[in-house]
Amino acid sequence: MTLRLMTSLKKRWRILRDPEIRRFRALIRQFKREQGRGTPVQFDNVDASSIVFDLGGFEGEWTRDMRRIYDCSVHVFEPHPLFSSSLAAQFRNDDKVICHDFALGDKDGELMLSDDADASSALGGEGKHIAGRIRSVQAVMDELHLTEIAVAKINIEGGEYDILPALIALGLIARFGSLAVQFHNYGPGDAQRREAIRTSLEATHNCVWNYDFVWEKWDRKT
């Protein structure tokens, strides 16, 4: 038996035995059937005059899609030095895409990212790590003079547990028309942290749809 076959069989056996894994995979399939195969891009409040935030730009796919569909302006935030430099090069001729080589958080600082492609995170991972910057969301919003952001896509591998409470505590969350959030379940306590954030969000936003730890969409209350 080859190593690849053994690995595949072990993975299938783990899925068969673990009801949480089966539930999560079923939610992913449901999300893809009902909302599309990738990161959410369907928003009623976005047009060519809109500004959106891409938190966790990675390779720029969501930014490209939003530019193509809506012709909106996009602020891309990506702290990983390799990904951020690639984004800057990719969008260098598009004046409606502004690339930022840092993450947003409650305060300025530095974070050590696990160097694991699209799963690069400050909260987990083994092996090689790389340093990235984090900047105060209040300071950045003040510098950019932004009072209305149509959409924020948040897929930042655990960083949502920092940025969302900061936005809520500072009262900045009310500036966001819609949120597309991917929460991550990295360990004990994350489910409770997510529920606490969701409860706080209900003061300003309504949950339009939700697939636990896959994607969820929130629209600002009118």
Side-chain angles (χ1 to χ4, degrees), residues 48-173:
S49 66
S50 301
I51 295 171
V52 305
F53 274 14
D54 184 352
L55 276 64
F58 186 42
E59 294 181 338
E61 180 179 5
W62 189 79
T63 290
R64 290 194 302 272
D65 287 343
M66 294 297 284
R67 289 285 296 115
R68 174 178 54 81
I69 297 170
Y70 302 105
D71 191 31
C72 56
S73 297
V74 186
H75 285 265
V76 190
F77 299 88
E78 175 54 64
H80 194 294
L82 296 179
F83 301 151
S84 62
S85 62
S86 176
L87 288 167
Q90 178 182 166
F91 296 110
R92 64 183 179 275
N93 295 321
D94 188 342
D95 60 6
K96 295 189 78 171
V97 177
I98 302 91
C99 297
H100 305 277
D101 60 350
F102 52 83
L104 295 176
D106 64 340
K107 59 185 177 182
D108 291 347
E110 184 178 87
L111 64 169
M112 295 304 297
L113 299 159
S114 59
D115 197 12
D116 188 21
D118 60 342
S120 295
S121 169
L123 302 181
E126 299 177 354
K128 183 181 177 183
H129 284 68
I130 191 166
R133 288 196 303 148
I134 185 167
R135 290 201 58 203
S136 159
V137 65
Q138 180 72 74
V140 172
M141 295 283 278
D142 290 345
E143 289 175 9
L144 296 176
H145 305 291
L146 296 178
T147 58
E148 176 67 21
I149 299 93
V151 176
K153 181 272 279 182
I154 305 175
N155 182 7
I156 45 180
E157 304 300 324
E160 62 274 13
Y161 298 114
D162 177 48
I163 185 59
L164 283 169
L167 288 171
I168 293 167
L170 293 166
L172 296 173
I173 196 70

Side-chain angles (χ1 to χ4, degrees), residues 11 41 104 129 131 206:
K11 180 178 179 181
V41 293
L104 295 176
H129 284 68
N206 292 315

Side-chain angles (χ1 to χ4, degrees), residues 169-190:
L170 293 166
L172 296 173
I173 196 70
R175 300 185 186 185
F176 293 82
S178 296
L179 304 167
V181 185
Q182 185 174 93
F183 283 96
H184 295 78
N185 192 1
Y186 282 140
D190 282 349

